[in-house]
Amino acid sequence: MRLTGTDRGRLLFVLALATAVAVFTATVPLLRDWFDLRVYHGAIDAWIHHGGSVYDYRVPGTEYGFTYPPFAAVSMLPMALFGLHAAIAVGLLLNLSATAFVLHVLAGERLRRHGWFGLAVTVCLLALLEPVRDTFSFGQVNLVLLALVLGDAWLLSTGRTRWAGVGIGLAAAIKLTPAIFIVLLLLARRPRAAGTAVGVAATATALAAWVMPDASRFYWTEAVWDTTRIGRLDYVSNQSLQGVLARLADPAEPSRAAWALAALAVLGVWVWRARRALAADDLLGAFALTGLAACLLSPITWVHHLVWLLPSLAILFGEGLRRRRLLWIAGGLYVLLCSSVVWLWFDDASGIDGFVGSNTYVWITLGLLLGLPVGQARVNRPPWRRRTSDTAPAPSPAAPARVPASASQSAEPSSAAMTAGTAAGPAVDTRRGGRSEPTGSTRPAAPKPQSSSERASSYTAKPPA
């Protein structure tokens, strides 16, 4: 019997895997010391308790501060009630809750089939992914934004369209990049959801302008256009198209024309593939492709932003369970996304090896945009269920009546027997074009089956000049 074939074996396997994950996390990756959450907490504290602007705050000893839209600061106001350590604990709980919801949406039914063992192994493997572990280590909001967007995908897929668009609208108001999902809603011919998203984003932005008018004016007229406030475009953690061009041009400025052409090409591929996925009613595939496009098109996509690749990886692994070649590809991409390989070119990204290696995550994102198996059979979609009221229950066949032997031998069948025979006939599913299937009482029996601290932030540490 295999080691994992018993409960004791499964428990030992999970304990060994969790230990390996803990050792790897403590020794190999760069720990971020909650740097971004310190930015959030410091900016809110400066605003509420010291009368300053969130955009004037700088982390002591650095040149970096709050860079999100004003509504993000408004949504973080509860931080003013906590000290830093309590804020870190709350942020950790929020990220854990968001991760649990993302797992539920992407693989909930599959995980339930495998019980606690499948869930434990999945959580351990997820903890190794660099974008996920960096989101936790920075105290970032990426997983919360992903959960908001996937919540809308789940609502649309299950017919609960009343509130669809709220999550995307909130995510876009907190951070601009998720606004691309509003365009996806239009491509999907979901005008009501798109209108809801726009309305929620506009309302949230207006609320922030009312609460903090000066900061809002500064952000929308100056800060939003100044990418240098966020970090250097050529920094190796920037895994976007702009990052590739910036590292190629370093120390000169990257070509805006080259970026515009590359962005148009990505937009064209995204629209083409997303429309094909939507035509096949593959909403998860369309959302996954949109997350990939967002990462490529954003001027700055730090490594921890790549949690938007999680829906694509879920699709790839799901399809790989049927097609072994895809499973190997998914495993290879997973290993690369755990390896922190791009940091090997932290000091110098020049040369062919630098061009290939320092942009590894960009190549992965591009490859998924071009080759992700979407718009196919339903095997690559989560088994989201519609509400009971949305889908009529299938008719259940009546049990065949027992007819006495004497009656069955008569020349004319009795009316009772004819009625019972009709009730026990093949069930017709009118929702599938009237196709008939044999019931359990008429189907023939199936044959018996065979038995380090100097890089505290991915965008705050400056590479040596």
Side-chain angles (χ1 to χ4, degrees), residues 201-248:
T203 301
T205 302
L207 173 64
W210 177 70
V211 173
M212 44 195 311
D214 293 337
S216 294
R217 187 180 305 109
F218 169 75
Y219 180 82
W220 293 111
T221 60
E222 296 184 40
V224 71
W225 312 108
D226 184 7
T227 58
T228 61
R229 288 178 53 85
I230 305 175
R232 291 177 52 176
L233 291 175
D234 64 336
Y235 191 54
V236 73
S237 183
N238 183 15
Q239 293 292 303
S240 69
L241 293 176
Q242 187 78 289
V244 175
L245 296 174
R247 283 185 286 276
L248 274 176

Side-chain angles (χ1 to χ4, degrees), residues 402-437:
R402 300 184 65 176
V403 182
S406 58
S408 64
Q409 294 171 357
S410 61
E412 295 292 335
S414 68
S415 59
M418 292 177 65
T419 303
T422 303
V428 178
D429 188 349
T430 59
R431 295 169 297 156
R432 302 195 180 206
R435 182 171 59 88
S436 299
E437 295 290 347

Side-chain angles (χ1 to χ4, degrees), residues 4 59 375:
T4 56
V59 176

Side-chain angles (χ1 to χ4, degrees), residues 59-443:
V59 176
T62 77
E63 301 175 0
Y64 300 96
F66 196 83
T67 59
Y68 292 172
F71 179 71
V74 173
S75 67
M76 295 176 184
L77 269 175
M79 281 190 177
L81 303 176
F82 305 116
L84 177 61
H85 291 93
I88 290 173
V90 172
L92 181 62
L93 289 175
L94 280 175
N95 272 328
L96 286 172
S97 300
T99 303
F101 180 76
V102 169
L103 281 177
H104 168 71
V105 171
L106 295 179
E109 189 69 23
R110 187 176 296 122
L111 291 176
R112 281 190 289 273
R113 287 202 303 268
H114 293 282
W116 69 268
F117 177 70
L119 178 61
V121 171
T122 301
V123 169
C124 288
L125 295 178
L126 193 62
L128 287 175
L129 276 172
E130 184 175 9
V132 173
R133 65 176 189 251
D134 269 8
T135 292
F136 276 88
S137 187
F138 275 124
Q140 258 283 346
V141 298
N142 308 303
L143 285 166
V144 175
L145 300 180
L146 177 61
L148 286 172
V149 170
L150 286 181
D152 277 350
W154 180 78
L155 288 174
L156 291 170
S157 295
T158 54
R160 299 171 173 88
T161 57
R162 181 178 180 182
W163 298 103
V166 173
I168 291 174
L170 288 174
I174 293 171
K175 199 170 183 177
L176 298 178
T177 306
I180 191 175
F181 287 93
I182 299 176
V183 182
L184 175 65
L185 294 176
L186 295 175
L187 289 176
R189 298 180 181 177
R190 304 277 188 162
R192 177 176 175 177
T196 299
V198 172
V200 168
T203 301
T205 302
L207 173 64
W210 177 70
V211 173
M212 44 195 311
D214 293 337
S216 294
R217 187 180 305 109
F218 169 75
Y219 180 82
W220 293 111
T221 60
E222 296 184 40
V224 71
W225 312 108
D226 184 7
T227 58
T228 61
R229 288 178 53 85
I230 305 175
R232 291 177 52 176
L233 291 175
D234 64 336
Y235 191 54
V236 73
S237 183
N238 183 15
Q239 293 292 303
S240 69
L241 293 176
Q242 187 78 289
V244 175
L245 296 174
R247 283 185 286 276
L248 274 176
D250 187 49
E253 290 294 318
S255 168
R256 294 184 179 181
W259 179 84
L261 289 174
L264 285 174
V266 167
L267 277 173
V269 172
W270 166 61
V271 170
W272 170 59
R273 299 215 68 212
R275 287 174 65 90
R276 287 174 63 91
L278 292 169
D281 197 28
D282 187 359
L283 194 62
L284 175 62
F287 269 74
L289 292 170
T290 307
L292 298 172
C295 290
L296 292 168
L297 294 172
S298 176
I300 291 182
T301 298
W302 304 129
V303 168
H304 53 77
H305 294 163
L306 296 177
V307 295
W308 293 101
L309 271 62
L310 288 179
S312 298
L313 291 176
I315 290 173
L316 199 59
F317 273 106
E319 188 69 18
L321 296 177
R322 293 175 60 250
R323 299 158 62 183
R324 184 65 61 85
R325 181 177 62 86
L326 285 181
L327 189 60
W328 281 103
I329 293 174
L333 297 183
Y334 169 80
V335 170
L336 285 173
L337 287 167
C338 292
S339 67
S340 301
V341 63
V342 297
W343 296 100
L344 295 175
W345 288 270
F346 172 75
D347 295 318
D348 183 11
S350 62
I352 296 178
D353 65 313
F355 175 70
V356 175
S358 68
N359 302 309
T360 298
Y361 298 163
V362 181
W363 311 140
I364 290 175
T365 309
L366 274 172
L368 288 171
L369 181 66
L370 292 169
L372 188 68
V374 298
Q376 301 180 3
R378 292 184 178 270
V379 294
N380 65 353
R381 303 178 211 176
W384 293 330
R385 299 181 184 275
R386 291 186 181 273
R387 292 173 295 179
T388 304
S389 59
D390 294 337
T391 305
S396 56
R402 300 184 65 176
V403 182
S406 58
S408 64
Q409 294 171 357
S410 61
E412 295 292 335
S414 68
S415 59
M418 292 177 65
T419 303
T422 303
V428 178
D429 188 349
T430 59
R431 295 169 297 156
R432 302 195 180 206
R435 182 171 59 88
S436 299
E437 295 290 347
T439 64
S441 60
T442 59
R443 183 185 294 112

